[in-house]
Amino acid sequence: MLLVKKRYALPTFILTFLIYLVFTTLPPGAERSYVEHHSHPIHDVTEPAKDDDRIHWTKHAEQYPISDYVSLPTTSPSPIPQIQYDFPAESWLARMWRRRKQNAVKDAFKHAWKGYKDNAWLRDELSPLSGGYRTSFAGWAATLVDSLDTLIIMGLMDEFEDALEALEHIDFSTTDSIQINVFETNIRYLGGLLGAHDLTEGKYPILIKKATEIADFLYGSFDTRNRMPQSRWDWTRSASGQTIHPSGNTILAELGSLNLEFTRMSQLTGDQKYFDAIQRITDYLESAQKDTMVPGLWPMLVDARSLRFSDPRYTVGGMADSTYEYLPKEHMLLEGRTQQYQRMYESAMPPIKERMLFRPMTKDGADVLFSGNIYAGTKANRKKVDAQAEHLKCYLGGTVGIGAKVFNRTDELTIARKLTDGCIWAYDIMPSGIMPEIMYLSPCDDAENCPWDEQKWYEDVRARPPDHANIADTDEAAQMLIEKLGLVPGVAEIADARYMLRPEAIESVFIIYRITGDTKYQDAAWRMFRNIEKATRTEYAHAAISDVRQAKPKQLDYMESFWLAETLKYFYLIFSEPDLISLDEYVLNTEAHPFRRPS
């Protein structure tokens, strides 16, 4: 969920082209390290083939051992305000319609789960058009593990018991993948096991057993000179006793989004090494936070080897997102026993509000917000926000909403709602009723007074011609581009028209509904779900789509595990009783796995 395309427009063509090159070039290792696609169904889906000659991970002496672990804080907890709205009793009619919608979501999940179980059992991902499978996350049955707590939440306990039986066959000590994406493995596998463990209150020992296996495996990626993890981990080097080094180009989110899972491991097992590992990262991020090119924020790429922050690109979207998301959530999981995460959050929010948030110009006058990007490499562009709307950024409304409640920043709840409303608006304006991966909007010059200006929209469209073509400075040229590119009013460019079954929009819609009790968010969720179900349903499951500008978009042959772990879970929860996964009892990781708050 980290792969994104970045573009920044500057007044001159030369600067535009240079910045375009910078932001469309993915950093080394940004691609998945190992993806294998099988276009035909597998016949024996009981257990992946084993090869006894493969390298296996075992515990061994570390190259750079820790003599004294940083332990979980033991100071008294600080009171954390209530997050959820006090929902009144609902009428029987409201309950009936809510449950009908909830059951529709459950039916969609059961359809996708059956397709996975019948055609890709114990594999990472189902290919929803061909009925084949993909190996994309080390081959450890990513969809199965990622979906465990969704099965519990939806009451599908027979399916859950089948998944637990299959879990016995997963060997987390070996893989055909040469590199391990530590971040993805952490949030999907470790997070999935811990979420299922917490929901079942430790009833199934295999869950914490397997969680410990994968956590101990991942811990090996921290065995570097400065204890920063090698985020794209050459695990076979570590397994054979060779030295590893953190990368000079580490994606921020991959470094700063290990907190919740490793903290929960220390809370559950009493082993402080997990918390020690992530606390060193947190201290490193906090120490540099006010000295970056955009004080309060961290750039997209971090030099984890030399501990430098020289990359000029800043975003709260892909490549950075969950680092910011985890600040209030880690505060909650630690029961407010340290104020460190509150300090970091409160340092990040001012530059986010002042420099990244923008109101788009809309024909209907919708007062909504989005978060853009900053390129801080040149003085001329340091204060200019690039008006990129990205589906991955839609998590921000929920994060700001939680921060507003947890840290008593009540004035920011309005911002949280406007950010969430912006993503709903982006869904509603598309012919498919679904927001694209990446689009560029016409930003308002004045966020308080922003009437529709057709000429400004035309100018913004002409400023982003496809393939850097020379476009005449006329209304007719802009209108031709608008028609050719399928742009709707207020949208200057659609840089990536796909929908990848992503959860970020419904995530914030769910959180803001639980915070405010405003039923308009349930209404929006139902519109979103119906449009997604219509466009993505296949014979086997659900598929990503190629172009949301089309009423009947072409489907693509992949379905990431987060469709079952996150997207359908959030749709189900927004139509559930509010005490099911209450935000006052659970913290959800960035893959929507619920960790029980200790208090």
Side-chain angles (χ1 to χ4, degrees):
M1 49 179 73
L2 296 170
L3 305 186
V4 292
K5 171 184 174 185
K6 308 290 181 192
R7 284 177 46 173
Y8 288 86
L10 292 171
T12 68
F13 174 77
I14 295 176
L15 284 177
T16 302
F17 181 69
L18 290 174
I19 301 305
Y20 174 77
L21 289 179
V22 169
F23 273 84
T24 53
T25 303
L26 292 171
E31 304 86 357
R32 291 188 190 176
S33 55
Y34 179 79
V35 176
E36 178 184 341
H37 174 66
H38 300 260
S39 58
H40 301 289
I42 54 179
H43 300 290
D44 180 10
V45 294
T46 57
E47 185 175 353
K50 288 186 177 180
D51 181 355
D52 292 336
D53 294 331
R54 294 189 297 179
I55 297 174
H56 285 257
W57 178 262
T58 58
K59 290 185 178 181
H60 57 273
E62 290 186 294
Q63 298 277 338
Y64 303 100
I66 299 296
S67 59
D68 187 18
Y69 292 131
V70 178
S71 298
L72 287 165
T74 57
T75 55
S76 298
S78 296
I80 295 177
Q82 179 177 322
I83 297 174
Q84 288 209 161
Y85 179 73
D86 286 320
F87 287 87
E90 63 182 340
S91 68
W92 69 268
L93 183 62
R95 184 183 302 110
M96 180 188 72
W97 283 111
R98 174 181 59 75
R99 287 181 174 172
R100 284 189 181 183
K101 294 169 183 175
Q102 187 183 48
N103 286 333
V105 177
K106 186 175 182 177
D107 288 344
F109 178 92
K110 290 165 67 176
H111 173 66
W113 180 255
K114 184 179 187 301
Y116 171 72
K117 189 173 183 181
D118 290 349
N119 299 280
W121 194 237
L122 278 171
R123 309 292 176 167
D124 281 348
E125 298 172 356
L126 170 70
S127 298
L129 298 182
S130 63
Y133 67 90
R134 290 163 58 91
T135 300
S136 45
F137 296 107
W140 291 325
T143 296
L144 186 154
V145 179
D146 222 1
S147 304
L148 289 172
D149 51 35
T150 312
L151 291 168
I152 299 167
I153 288 168
M154 293 189 179
L156 301 172
M157 296 309 293
D158 289 342
E159 291 84 349
F160 175 70
E161 296 279 358
D162 290 342
L164 284 188
E165 184 177 341
L167 188 61
E168 294 276 9
H169 298 290
I170 302 175
D171 184 358
F172 286 120
S173 72
T174 189
T175 171
D176 289 330
S177 296
I178 297 173
Q179 283 189 335
I180 293 295
N181 186 318
V182 174
F183 165 79
E184 297 286 2
T185 305
N186 174 66
I187 65 170
R188 299 187 195 226
Y189 289 111
L190 182 55
L193 292 165
L194 292 175
H197 172 274
D198 278 5
L199 283 181
T200 55
E201 300 181 339
K203 179 180 177 182
Y204 301 92
I206 187 177
L207 293 168
I208 196 65
K209 174 178 176 287
K210 288 294 185 178
T212 303
E213 288 178 13
I214 194 69
D216 285 348
F217 179 77
L218 292 177
Y219 187 74
S221 69
F222 288 82
D223 189 12
T224 66
R225 186 179 298 276
N226 63 7
R227 301 302 298 185
M228 294 296 111
Q230 186 182 66
S231 62
R232 303 300 171 107
W233 179 30
D234 295 323
W235 74 276
T236 56
R237 287 182 58 86
S238 297
S240 59
Q242 300 181 65
T243 302
I244 59 170
H245 305 282
S247 171
N249 287 313
T250 299
I251 292 171
L252 174 62
E254 294 186 353
L255 186 66
S257 308
L258 309 174
N259 312 49
L260 292 180
E261 298 78 9
F262 273 50
T263 295
R264 192 64 183 139
M265 278 298 299
S266 285
Q267 290 175 339
L268 290 172
T269 67
D271 192 336
Q272 301 301 320
K273 71 181 181 184
Y274 308 114
F275 182 74
D276 172 272
I278 59 92
Q279 185 58 39
R280 293 172 188 273
I281 297 173
T282 299
D283 291 343
Y284 161 49
L285 291 175
E286 185 185 29
S287 67
Q289 187 175 11
K290 294 182 180 180
D291 296 322
T292 65
M293 283 187 269
V294 182
L297 305 180
W298 303 279
M300 286 168 49
L301 292 184
V302 179
D303 184 345
R305 182 179 299 186
S306 302
L307 305 183
R308 291 198 302 261
F309 294 85
S310 55
D311 183 52
R313 296 168 295 178
Y314 289 77
T315 182
V316 293
M319 300 192 192
D321 43 12
S322 44
T323 295
Y324 297 98
E325 175 191 351
Y326 273 19
L327 296 178
K329 291 183 174 182
E330 180 73 355
H331 179 86
M332 293 160 62
L333 192 62
L334 290 173
E335 305 175 272
R337 292 178 184 271
T338 170
Q339 301 307 303
Q340 184 176 27
Y341 289 93
Q342 180 171 356
R343 291 195 303 269
M344 296 169 74
Y345 182 85
E346 291 180 344
S347 292
M349 279 306 297
I352 289 173
K353 291 190 295 184
E354 295 166 11
R355 303 189 58 177
M356 284 191 169
L357 301 189
F358 69 92
R359 178 181 175 182
M361 186 175 64
T362 65
K363 202 161 190 177
D364 60 0
D367 186 7
V368 298
L369 290 174
F370 287 89
S371 177
N373 303 322
I374 299 171
Y375 181 77
T378 61
K379 290 183 179 179
N381 210 46
R382 266 177 201 166
K383 295 186 177 181
K384 181 180 176 66
V385 64
D386 192 42
Q388 183 206 62
E390 179 186 16
H391 200 288
L392 280 166
K393 292 174 185 166
C394 284
Y395 81 95
L396 188 60
T399 292
V400 174
I402 288 175
K405 299 293 287 188
V406 169
F407 299 133
N408 282 312
R409 300 170 67 90
T410 53
D411 58 316
E412 290 173 359
L413 188 55
T414 299
I415 294 174
R417 292 186 66 140
K418 288 184 179 182
L419 286 165
T420 304
D421 292 346
C423 292
I424 295 171
W425 171 84
Y427 268 72
D428 287 340
I429 63 173
M430 290 295 154
S432 63
I434 305 172
M435 180 181 179
E437 278 284 289
I438 303 172
M439 62 181 176
Y440 292 84
L441 305 175
S442 290
C444 297
D445 293 327
D446 182 350
E448 301 300 325
N449 181 26
C450 189
W452 173 253
D453 185 340
E454 196 96 352
Q455 294 302 312
K456 182 182 185 305
W457 179 39
Y458 288 168
E459 291 172 9
D460 291 337
V461 170
R462 290 195 299 265
R464 295 187 177 275
D467 302 319
H468 300 284
N470 291 322
I471 303 299
D473 190 17
T474 64
D475 290 353
E476 291 74 16
Q479 291 164 355
M480 288 179 62
L481 271 179
I482 289 166
E483 183 176 354
K484 177 182 178 182
L485 300 177
L487 303 179
V488 296
V491 177
E493 179 189 5
I494 296 181
D496 188 341
R498 295 176 297 168
Y499 171 65
M500 312 283 283
L501 302 173
R502 291 203 187 276
E504 290 78 17
I506 183 58
E507 172 186 353
S508 284
V509 171
F510 159 72
I511 291 172
I512 297 303
Y513 168 68
R514 285 287 185 90
I515 288 175
T516 66
D518 191 338
T519 57
K520 82 169 189 178
Y521 293 105
Q522 285 184 313
D523 296 338
W526 184 237
R527 291 197 305 276
M528 293 162 65
F529 172 75
R530 286 191 302 171
N531 290 328
I532 292 171
E533 165 81 353
K534 177 183 176 182
T536 66
R537 191 178 180 96
T538 73
E539 175 187 353
Y540 296 106
H542 298 84
I545 56 177
S546 62
D547 196 335
V548 301
R549 293 170 293 190
Q550 300 171 1
K552 294 183 178 180
K554 178 183 176 182
Q555 296 176 328
L556 305 171
D557 199 18
Y558 50 89
M559 179 185 79
E560 284 211 43
S561 65
F562 54 62
W563 170 245
L564 296 170
E566 295 187 78
T567 311
L568 288 177
K569 181 186 294 172
Y570 282 126
F571 275 119
Y572 184 84
L573 286 175
I574 198 171
F575 298 119
S576 73
E577 291 81 359
D579 60 349
L580 182 61
I581 315 298
S582 167
L583 299 180
D584 292 305
E585 297 177 3
Y586 290 92
V587 175
L588 291 112
N589 87 333
T590 195
E591 194 77 3
H593 296 306
F595 302 159
R596 182 172 286 277
R597 291 170 54 179
S599 58

